[in-house]
Amino acid sequence: MRLLFLSAWCPFPADNGAKLRTYHLLRGLARRHEVSLVSFCPEGDDGARRAHLAGFCREVTLVQKTPFAARRARALAGLLSAQPRSLVANYSRAMALAARRQWAARPYDAVIAGGMHMAPYALALPRARRVLEELELARLYEPYAAATSPRARLRAGLTWWKSARYLRAILPQFAAFSVASATEAALAAPLAPRAQPRAVVPNGVDVAACAVIAAEPQPDRLIYPGAISYDANHDAVAHFAAEILPRIQRERPAAHLAVTGKTTPAQLAALPMARGLEFTGYLDDVRPAVA
């Protein structure tokens, strides 16, 4: 089959969870199908990234991604829109044009939208058989379910309501969709047509690539290989540093935790600075540290 994959993340280098998933899905699909990629990339048309991805994608188009700015006119308009604010604020005419050009350049059997934020670009392609890959809902629903103050519940509830309403409207236009877990599947079920094909495609790990790395274990050293720029990772590190690491240190005083990935001063300031908490910064290859 000829497949067109639209990605919100440039999958190389594969240095976060979303990129890892997309990178390995593309490589897996390319073993049996002809795959073309149109992807956002913060650096724009980066030749080195494009060259690497061209090793398994027939064609690669990288589109400059504009950072989100809360005070930009489109972001403010998103507050008043019935669509999710992030879709309105981050919509890219350049991405829409690149997707249409690639779709018109050759006959494709299907287009795969990598996440809800790529759905508008897939929907704009004429006569397309569409698949929505990794519909992610828990990070939208859980803040609403866990909110304790009326203000937080209203804000999170509005985000969830807009997202659920949008998905109910667009999912019938997709031939199928995938999610990463049974929890996500349960959240998606009420929003999708009953007979619509869907699949749980869990995240995985390249076992062979990790098996070639060997290292001596370091006593009392723990590692969290996940950037705190992702809110779920930030929450995990905050909870571990405040509630769990001190308990371990009562039994093992030398115990310390290394957290990998890029950080900003604001992200660090929002964390409890527990004894034995270390931030390594970005590592080009995290495997030796984990080993």
Coordinates of all heavy atoms in Angstrom, one line a residue, residues 4 72 192 195 262-263 265:
L4 N 0.4 7.8 3.3 CA 0.9 9.2 3.7 C 0.7 9.4 5.2 O -0.4 9.2 5.7 CB 0.1 10.2 2.9 CG 0.4 11.7 3.3 CD1 1.9 12.0 3.0 CD2 -0.5 12.7 2.5
R72 N -1.0 35.2 21.5 CA -1.2 35.4 20.0 C -2.7 35.5 19.7 O -3.5 34.8 20.3 CB -0.5 34.3 19.3 CG -0.1 34.7 17.8 CD 0.8 33.6 17.3 NE 0.3 32.3 17.4 CZ 1.0 31.2 17.3 NH1 2.3 31.3 17.1 NH2 0.4 30.0 17.4
A192 N -16.9 7.4 19.6 CA -16.7 6.8 18.2 C -18.0 6.1 17.8 O -18.7 5.5 18.6 CB -15.5 5.9 18.2
A195 N -19.6 0.7 15.4 CA -19.0 -0.3 14.5 C -17.6 0.1 14.0 O -17.0 -0.7 13.2 CB -19.9 -0.7 13.4
K262 N 15.9 17.5 28.9 CA 16.0 19.0 29.0 C 15.1 19.5 30.1 O 14.0 19.0 30.4 CB 15.6 19.6 27.7 CG 16.5 19.3 26.5 CD 16.0 19.9 25.2 CE 16.8 19.6 24.0 NZ 16.3 20.1 22.7
T263 N 15.5 20.6 30.7 CA 14.7 21.3 31.7 C 14.8 22.8 31.5 O 15.7 23.3 30.9 CB 15.2 20.9 33.2 OG1 16.6 21.4 33.3 CG2 15.2 19.4 33.4
P265 N 14.2 26.6 33.9 CA 14.2 27.0 35.3 C 12.8 27.0 35.9 O 12.6 26.6 37.0 CB 14.7 28.5 35.2 CG 15.6 28.5 34.0 CD 15.0 27.5 33.0

